[in-house]
Amino acid sequence: MPDLTHPRLPDWLPPAVRLYLDHTEDGCSFRALAKREGRHASTIMRQVRRYENRRDDPLLDEALNAFSRMFEATKADPAKKDTPPMSALMRHTETTVDEQALDREGRRILRRLAEPGAVMAIAPEMEKAVVLREFPDGRNMRTGVLDRAVAQAFTLKDWIACRKAGRVSTYEITASGRAALKRMIDDEDRRRHGMAEASASFADQHRTWGERSIVEEGVRRRVRYNLAESPIGVLGRRRDKDGKPFLEAELVEAGERLREDFELAQMGPRVAQNWDRFLTGADRGGFQADSGLAEGPSQARARVAGALRDLGPGLGDVALRCCCFLEGLEIAEKRLGWAARSGKIVLRIALQRLRRHYDETYGRSGPLIG
């Protein structure tokens, strides 16, 4: 039976944010949420902690605080549960953000943010955010303006990420934002050419489901997961001239295992050769580093550090960027200073070494984290 005092949340709000609010505001445990969603508790925990660790993002922190106030107001007065969720509760704005407004603003603003040298800037007292583009000759040009509430929604949907927080905070487009922009442009092209079929949701368009086995409470079962979530999933579906996959299933599985350990360990993109110094998790919100789950963050951190030490510089760098940071190969090549189209071969070698590391350390029957 639904909770009659639960506030009405916007339809576009990502499922992970809903889980975060259910955990922090309603007090639902990870196990209770996992049972409700039909998923593993460690998966729920990673999604919740991912947003908890992003609270240093000013816009995201504002948005989550607004939802917290909404929960408190609803508990005090259940009649307020139908209050528009993205209007007066958010600072500096009376704009109501719905799916249609996000789609319209997404096409306009994400296009600008996808341009080279483009960032979004905003300050605490500003009602609007501005998109600025820096040119090679040092010139700066304002290319777009958007409401603060829309910018907050962009951060919640993970379309933009905070690059620098401070008196003036700057944001850049993410891989998810580029994928969303591509979907919006494709939808616009279909409408322009008179194709009137209903647009599928973002999740349906960008997920390719696969299956794998996990062991939970001594019972092995098969679960679905998103193959298209990382660059190695995409490479795993590509075929060479002989029709064989470029990455075998066991190599994709090794990369996914590294990514899941990385997320569980609450690690962030601080690239250095000292793999033990990657941890960026915080104690905000009362989370503990080891919450009693069988696969705690400290154990996951040790597994990631061991795997990266075994790979060493070069192989470890490309595995970290593509498997954990979900960077595309072209971006990884550019940031590592490699020649174009060299990353694919190095990544394959890294995954082969990673697979061997897991086989030698944990055995071939060692299950992935759920």
Side-chain angles (χ1 to χ4, degrees):
M1 179 179 294
D3 185 353
L4 297 180
T5 64
H6 197 285
R8 178 171 62 87
L9 300 176
D11 294 336
W12 53 261
L13 200 66
V17 179
R18 296 175 183 271
L19 292 174
Y20 173 84
L21 293 172
D22 287 339
H23 176 69
T24 58
E25 301 303 326
D26 275 354
C28 295
S29 68
F30 292 135
R31 292 188 181 278
L33 291 173
K35 183 177 180 180
R36 187 189 75 187
E37 300 293 325
R39 303 166 75 179
H40 199 281
S42 64
T43 301
I44 302 295
M45 181 187 69
R46 286 196 302 275
Q47 294 186 5
V48 170
R49 286 187 171 174
R50 181 171 178 270
Y51 276 89
E52 185 67 28
N53 290 333
R54 291 177 59 198
R55 292 298 293 259
D56 56 349
D57 177 336
L59 285 177
L60 185 125
D61 190 60
E62 282 181 18
L64 293 179
N65 282 337
F67 285 120
S68 297
R69 293 194 299 273
M70 184 193 308
F71 271 80
E72 293 172 0
T74 302
K75 290 175 182 177
D77 184 1
K80 294 183 179 180
K81 70 184 182 69
D82 291 326
T83 300
M86 293 288 287
S87 55
L89 284 174
M90 285 202 169
R91 295 174 54 193
H92 305 296
T93 183
E94 294 296 328
T95 303
T96 299
V97 181
D98 55 21
E99 193 73 48
Q100 186 177 7
L102 275 181
D103 194 66
R104 180 181 64 254
E105 290 295 275
R107 287 196 304 272
R108 184 175 66 88
I109 296 299
L110 294 180
R111 260 195 187 100
R112 293 303 187 181
L113 284 173
E115 296 173 344
V119 296
M120 188 193 79
I122 193 167
E125 70 278 3
M126 292 172 60
E127 296 183 3
K128 306 278 186 179
V130 297
V131 179
L132 303 172
R133 184 180 178 187
E134 182 178 356
F135 292 89
D137 59 4
R139 291 183 300 112
N140 288 313
M141 178 183 295
R142 189 176 72 177
T143 58
V145 179
L146 67 155
D147 289 327
R148 192 181 193 92
V150 175
Q152 291 170 346
F154 280 9
T155 63
L156 288 172
K157 291 180 75 67
D158 201 22
W159 289 353
I160 57 176
C162 186
R163 188 172 73 173
K164 178 183 177 182
R167 183 67 185 82
V168 176
S169 300
T170 56
Y171 293 76
E172 59 188 359
I173 191 170
T174 63
S176 297
R178 293 182 185 276
L181 176 60
K182 182 179 182 301
R183 187 263 303 173
M184 295 172 189
I185 293 174
D186 289 344
D187 287 350
E188 189 177 32
D189 288 343
R190 280 196 293 268
R191 288 193 296 267
R192 185 176 299 151
H193 288 85
M195 300 177 66
E197 68 272 15
S199 174
S201 68
F202 175 88
D204 291 338
Q205 289 194 27
H206 294 277
R207 289 177 181 169
T208 302
W209 294 105
E211 288 190 350
R212 66 175 173 223
S213 298
I214 66 168
V215 175
E216 184 178 1
E217 298 180 353
V219 179
R220 181 174 292 275
R221 63 186 181 89
R222 299 191 67 81
V223 296
R224 292 200 310 163
Y225 71 106
N226 185 8
L227 286 168
E229 190 173 2
S230 68
I232 62 169
V234 175
L235 288 175
R237 298 195 306 276
R238 290 183 180 175
R239 306 278 174 170
D240 58 22
K241 61 181 180 180
D242 297 325
K244 296 180 180 179
F246 178 77
L247 293 180
E248 294 84 354
E250 62 179 12
L251 300 185
V252 176
E253 183 182 79
E256 288 297 310
R257 175 168 189 164
L258 180 66
R259 179 182 63 82
E260 291 191 351
D261 273 336
F262 182 88
E263 292 179 357
L264 184 59
Q266 298 177 285
M267 292 180 171
R270 294 182 182 175
V271 182
Q273 295 305 323
N274 184 357
W275 306 118
D276 295 319
R277 297 180 64 83
F278 273 57
L279 186 66
T280 60
D283 293 332
R284 185 180 180 118
F287 288 118
Q288 300 297 322
D290 291 295
S291 57
L293 293 174
E295 301 290 346
S298 63
Q299 297 177 28
R301 187 186 320 134
R303 289 193 296 270
V304 174
L308 293 177
R309 277 195 299 267
D310 189 37
L311 291 178
L315 296 181
D317 290 328
V318 71
L320 185 72
R321 290 188 175 280
C322 293
C323 299
C324 303
F325 300 161
L326 302 182
E327 288 183 356
L329 279 173
E330 292 183 1
I331 296 176
E333 289 168 350
K334 183 177 180 181
R335 292 186 176 177
L336 292 171
W338 293 354
R341 294 182 293 279
S342 63
K344 188 166 67 169
I345 303 300
V346 180
L347 176 61
R348 191 173 194 278
I349 296 172
L351 292 176
Q352 289 172 338
R353 175 78 70 85
L354 185 64
R355 178 77 258 180
R356 187 181 70 182
H357 166 78
Y358 285 140
D359 289 346
E360 293 176 351
T361 307
Y362 308 108
R364 281 191 168 272
S365 59
L368 294 178
I369 303 169

